[in-house]
Amino acid sequence: MSGPPHVRRPATLASLAAELGVSRTTVSNAYNRPDQLSAPLREKVLEAARRLGYPGPDPVARSLRTRRAGAVGLLLTEALSYAFRDPVATGFLEGLALACEQAGQGLLLVPVSPEHADVAAVHQAGVDGFVVYSVSEDDPHFRAVLERPVPTVICDQPIGVEGVDRVSVDDRDGMRALGRHLTGLGHRRIGVLCMRLGPQRQDGPASLARQQETSYPVQRERISGIRDALVEVGVDWASVPVVERFEHSPEAGASAAAELLAAHPDVTALVCTSDVIAIGALQWAAEQGIDVPGRLTVTGFDGVPEADRLGLTTVRQPVRRKGQVAGELLLERGDRNTPKYVVLPTELVVGATSGPAKKREEFFSGW
């Protein structure tokens, strides 16, 4: 009976160096510091490695030795699919990936649920730094990030974190400009559809206290911007209905629009704090046979591609550039000890979904 087949042991860095008659440093440089070798010598080392089955330096051992993981962690307090489904998150992720690519770094997504406090994923992530993408002020995963001895960059929120870099836009100013556009068209009876205002699920009308006490500053600032514009023309903000949705989807926007207009049929404009919600509101209006903008104006915020296609009046923010800047702040930090705060510009885009306010006497009962 024949014995077991002979299995050749894989080559090691030391055996490859001995085979070539070079130092182990030379073999290591062929992979880690190619600029230290001539092109012919490096190719000779790599060709021998392929022939002998040497897989290259062990990345785990190298990270233990250098104490560098070679990757940036992106903290998302959402399901992983959100990064590839939500158009704003996708644009941001593209920009961040570009910055990592240009720096020769990897990108590790660290998705966690806003409804659960398990921070193990943050503690276990093998990364050299974190980009935190738009989380609430009291998020436990964010606190776990700050406990790690690595640099951190915040995108959008939370705000006011000492010693941490941040990149954002002026959400309040952008929404104020949109609000002034609407008041200039004569709108005074305005309703607001907003994204979640807290980490726990809540769908329905958002009280004045909830609007102000939200742990999501971006939503607070966007709501404050439209409030500023309405107060300027004498509208009592307490009379403005605000409906909140926990999920960020067109379906959530459609149901929010139906809820708000069932309770307030005299509203002439729906101001949505995101394009995704506005797209849902537009879909609902079309299904109900409601003329936009003849009967109802609908606006958004973000400037996503689908909003452009639909001609949505919105506030455009540079989401791709925001991701790239966040990555650059992290990867080019060096020994800098002073935090940087970068504010990118927004642009009011007047599209086909905003028009003059319908006069009160032209209203009909119900939808």
Side-chain angles (χ1 to χ4, degrees), residues 165-184:
D165 293 343
R166 179 169 169 254
V167 57
S168 70
V169 298
D170 190 332
D171 293 281
R172 185 168 188 163
D173 185 69
M175 191 62 93
R176 186 188 298 117
L178 186 145
R180 287 170 175 165
H181 165 67
L182 295 181
T183 58

Side-chain angles (χ1 to χ4, degrees), residues 158-361:
I159 63 176
V161 182
E162 191 172 339
V164 177
D165 293 343
R166 179 169 169 254
V167 57
S168 70
V169 298
D170 190 332
D171 293 281
R172 185 168 188 163
D173 185 69
M175 191 62 93
R176 186 188 298 117
L178 186 145
R180 287 170 175 165
H181 165 67
L182 295 181
T183 58
L185 291 171
H187 291 281
R188 299 295 185 271
R189 299 182 301 281
I190 291 176
V192 177
L193 309 182
C194 71
M195 296 167 62
R196 73 175 66 138
L197 298 176
Q200 302 304 317
R201 181 175 293 274
Q202 177 167 316
D203 294 300
S207 67
L208 292 174
R210 184 166 177 81
Q211 294 169 35
Q212 288 302 309
E213 295 168 5
T214 174
S215 55
Y216 290 92
V218 167
Q219 292 302 295
R220 181 171 62 239
E221 291 300 289
R222 292 182 186 181
I223 292 172
S224 295
I226 190 67
R227 182 190 64 203
D228 292 345
L230 290 177
V231 170
E232 286 176 352
V233 295
V235 174
D236 178 10
W237 180 252
S239 69
V240 177
V242 178
V243 171
E244 172 187 358
R245 283 295 183 266
F246 186 84
E247 297 295 339
H248 188 223
S249 67
E251 293 76 16
S255 68
E259 178 180 341
L260 190 148
L261 288 166
H264 304 275
D266 63 338
V267 160
T268 63
L270 289 178
V271 175
C272 306
T273 62
S274 80
D275 286 350
V276 169
I277 292 176
I279 289 167
L282 286 174
Q283 292 172 349
W284 176 83
E287 291 169 357
Q288 301 302 310
I290 299 170
D291 180 21
V292 174
R295 168 60 185 86
L296 180 69
T297 282
V298 178
T299 67
F301 196 113
D302 288 326
V304 303
E306 180 67 5
D308 286 342
R309 189 185 71 80
L310 294 173
L312 180 68
T313 294
T314 188
V315 178
R316 179 181 293 142
Q317 61 164 321
V319 291
R320 185 174 181 271
R321 179 60 184 157
K322 187 186 286 184
Q324 188 171 3
V325 169
E328 291 169 350
L329 285 174
L330 186 69
L331 294 166
E332 299 174 5
R333 183 182 180 97
D335 296 328
R336 173 172 55 84
N337 293 319
T338 304
K340 284 188 177 181
Y341 180 21
V342 179
V343 181
L344 299 174
T346 60
E347 175 190 3
L348 174 62
V349 179
V350 178
T353 65
S354 59
K358 195 176 184 68
K359 295 178 181 179
R360 186 179 294 272
E361 58 267 22

Side-chain angles (χ1 to χ4, degrees), residues 130-133 151-155 164-167 325-327 329-330:
F130 281 96
V131 172
V132 176
Y133 180 67
T152 299
V153 175
I154 294 170
C155 174
V164 177
D165 293 343
R166 179 169 169 254
V167 57
V325 169
L329 285 174
L330 186 69

